[in-house]
Amino acid sequence: MKTRKMMLIAMFVALCVAGSAFVSFPAGIARAYPIQHAINVIAAVLLGPGPALLIAFLTAIVRILIGTGSLLAFPGGMFGALVAGLMYAKFGKIWLAAIGEIIGTGIIASFVAVPYAHVLMGTDLAAFFFLPPFLVSSLSGALLGAVIARKLEKEKRILQTH
């Protein structure tokens, strides 16, 4: 992996961790962390699906280790990053990366969170408890990420990371 790409991955992880400590709002039974979802979209556009997924995974680990995230940080960030990256890689459209983030986190991750929460967290909450907060969080972050990615799109040398 190139040094530039590793530096961007580390920077995005740091931004996600710092952003989660300062930018969140209540959304049902969970908290919405829109910075994670914004970074998922930006990383999907700039780096692709693999690095975007890696950023979400590393962010979840760091947030859990420092006490600013729960075990829901894994499905809550990783599915959105992967689907956003795949959508952008396939179609090359930022708005589809944002839709991928919303589908990946807001829908897929909310259903994955049910058995995950049961096994790892000992709770029997149904999917409809996770769906609203995951959708609110991913929607707000995906919109922010799409706006920022669109601005960065005009700066070609930043985008030359593939």
Side-chain angles (χ1 to χ4, degrees):
M1 186 179 295
K2 292 184 178 182
T3 304
R4 179 181 175 89
K5 191 177 271 191
M6 288 190 322
M7 182 273 309
L8 286 171
I9 289 169
M11 179 188 74
F12 284 138
V13 170
L15 285 171
C16 284
V17 172
S20 70
F22 297 108
V23 181
S24 70
F25 55 89
I29 63 162
R31 292 197 63 78
Y33 294 97
I35 301 302
Q36 172 72 61
H37 307 292
I39 296 295
N40 282 354
V41 172
I42 296 165
V45 170
L46 293 180
L47 303 170
L53 179 63
L54 178 62
I55 290 163
F57 176 74
L58 293 173
T59 298
I61 288 174
V62 173
R63 286 186 58 220
I64 289 166
L65 290 175
I66 65 172
T68 62
S70 72
L71 291 174
L72 292 174
F74 286 109
M78 293 174 62
F79 285 97
L82 180 61
V83 177
L86 293 172
M87 293 287 279
Y88 187 78
K90 174 111 173 119
F91 301 106
K93 304 280 185 196
I94 292 172
W95 68 272
L96 286 174
I99 296 293
E101 170 63 31
I102 295 164
I103 291 169
T105 297
I107 298 170
I108 296 170
S110 65
F111 286 103
V112 169
V114 175
Y116 180 87
H118 176 72
V119 172
L120 296 176
M121 300 170 75
T123 182
D124 289 324
L125 295 174
F128 68 88
F129 283 109
F130 293 110
L131 192 65
F134 278 33
L135 274 173
V136 168
S137 188
S138 63
L139 179 63
S140 60
L143 292 174
L144 176 63
V147 168
I148 293 169
R150 181 79 176 129
K151 297 274 187 196
L152 290 174
E153 186 178 48
K154 296 180 191 320
E155 183 60 53
K156 294 296 182 193
R157 76 183 155 79
I158 291 175
L159 292 176
Q160 294 174 349
T161 58
H162 289 294

